[in-house]
Amino acid sequence: SWEVGPGNLYLAWEANDNLTLRAGRLGTPIYMYSETLNVGFSYPWLRLPEEVYSLVQLTSHDGGDVLYNRSTDIGTLSFQVAGGQAIKRDHYALDDIHDIDYRKVFAANLALSTDNFGTFRVGYAEADLQITVDEVITNVGGAQENVLFNGLDGQKGKFSSVGHQYDNGTWLSAAEAVKLTIENDNDAETNAFYIMGGRRFGDYLAHVTYGQLDESSGRQVSMTYGLNYNITPTVTLKGEYKRVDTSQGDESIGVFKANAQQTYNNGAYQKSNGLAGAPLGTHDADIFSVGVDFIF
């Protein structure tokens, strides 16, 4: 089902040439590409690297932020701090959609844009999380049972990132490394990064990206090879091939999502030393994608 609602809706006041204050529904500055998260024309991929961009599903919050820019001898320094909340947002888990509340959202980032060395960015975000992920499954005895798979009631999620972008018109690169932790959660911290390099040949752009996701259950790695063609200055045809491998962990499925029954069966298999349930197994994929991004 689909629901129509404002992605961003806010008022802004430019106090002076350097300082801007905004209030309303704002994009939450989680990632390096958060400002243009839904504008595919602004980045080389058809889809942003999932190893990094699947970790935090929050895209906007209700509240305010402060933007400050200042020119220095080495480039333009930009600082942003944001706060607010996001209530009853969609959260994808166990191959289904669940409601999640992000309370006491706080995010801040600092970026330095230089003429010769690209843009450097460091960011931090946190929020108090509230979510209940429970589903009805068939247990090992064959009976229907409601199982709580994950429950957070005010635990704080923390997300930190560092990134770099470079584009001189011919060569371009991007890299981003992130860490996600949830207080009082039994899972260890999650780390992920990607590195992309590309080159333009007239109207064509060839690029390659390595991505890696490290969780307590194992590791996912991927290689993405892409070729873009600028049909017009505002329309880009994109083609990609992506190889995804999660075979470096016995329980790792990376960004692939098991449903509730599969997750329960895997837990029963682990607890019974293989006498009951069924293992998830390792997952891999070859993904071919073609799409058109445009602006108007």
Side-chain angles (χ1 to χ4, degrees):
S1 63
W2 297 85
E3 295 179 0
V4 177
N8 298 88
L9 183 64
Y10 59 86
L11 296 175
W13 175 51
E14 190 173 292
N16 54 50
D17 291 341
N18 304 109
L19 180 64
T20 300
L21 307 178
R22 304 188 301 178
R25 175 159 291 184
L26 301 160
T28 310
I30 302 291
Y31 298 105
M32 188 164 62
Y33 287 98
S34 283
E35 191 69 23
T36 58
L37 195 63
N38 297 314
V39 186
F41 188 85
S42 65
Y43 42 79
W45 310 276
L46 265 171
R47 288 179 294 273
L48 289 158
E50 291 93 345
E51 287 81 8
V52 168
Y53 280 78
S54 65
L55 295 182
V56 178
Q57 299 179 32
L58 177 65
T59 59
S60 65
H61 68 279
D62 300 324
D65 68 1
V66 178
L67 307 173
Y68 180 77
N69 300 287
R70 185 177 184 86
S71 296
T72 70
D73 293 338
I74 58 176
T76 301
L77 191 65
S78 302
F79 175 71
Q80 180 181 13
V81 60
Q85 64 178 12
I87 305 301
K88 292 192 179 300
R89 299 300 175 87
D90 287 343
H91 181 80
Y92 180 65
L94 298 180
D95 201 28
D96 202 356
I97 298 297
H98 303 266
D99 284 340
I100 183 172
D101 293 346
Y102 300 86
R103 300 183 184 276
K104 299 181 181 178
V105 173
F106 170 81
N109 66 84
L110 182 68
L112 175 64
S113 300
T114 68
D115 293 331
N116 299 320
F117 303 103
T119 299
F120 302 84
R121 180 187 183 276
V122 60
Y124 174 79
E126 65 175 37
D128 293 347
L129 308 176
Q130 185 165 349
I131 185 174
T132 300
V133 180
D134 60 342
E135 296 284 353
V136 176
I137 54 87
T138 302
N139 61 29
V140 293
Q144 297 291 296
E145 179 183 353
N146 187 74
V147 174
L148 176 66
F149 290 90
N150 189 16
L152 299 175
D153 188 11
Q155 284 91 335
K156 190 177 295 295
K158 300 179 180 180
F159 186 85
S160 53
S161 63
V162 59
H164 175 256
Q165 293 173 283
Y166 175 79
D167 189 346
N168 68 358
T170 301
W171 295 94
L172 71 157
S173 65
E176 198 168 0
V178 302
K179 180 174 72 172
L180 172 66
T181 58
I182 298 177
E183 290 182 350
N184 302 320
D185 192 17
N186 293 326
D187 292 334
E189 67 184 28
T190 300
N191 295 278
F193 73 91
Y194 67 84
I195 301 174
M196 183 276 290
R199 191 184 192 282
R200 292 185 176 89
F201 302 90
D203 290 330
Y204 291 89
L205 166 62
H207 60 89
V208 60
T209 304
Y210 173 81
Q212 182 172 308
L213 169 66
D214 289 301
E215 302 176 288
S216 58
S217 58
R219 170 177 292 177
Q220 171 180 307
V221 297
S222 70
M223 290 294 300
T224 303
Y225 306 90
L227 182 64
N228 301 348
Y229 174 64
N230 291 333
I231 300 173
T232 73
T234 59
V235 180
T236 300
L237 174 66
K238 297 180 178 181
E240 286 181 0
Y241 163 67
K242 183 170 186 174
R243 172 64 181 176
V244 184
D245 179 16
T246 66
S247 62
Q248 301 184 52
D250 293 339
E251 299 179 49
S252 175
I253 59 173
V255 300
F256 298 97
K257 296 299 181 183
N259 62 30
Q261 188 65 58
Q262 292 169 328
T263 302
Y264 172 83
N265 291 345
N266 180 68
Y269 179 84
Q270 299 294 332
K271 292 178 180 178
S272 66
N273 294 320
L275 298 178
L280 284 175
T282 57
H283 293 65
D284 56 22
D286 296 288
I287 304 171
F288 297 88
S289 305
V290 177
V292 176
D293 283 333
F294 61 91
I295 57 175
F296 54 88

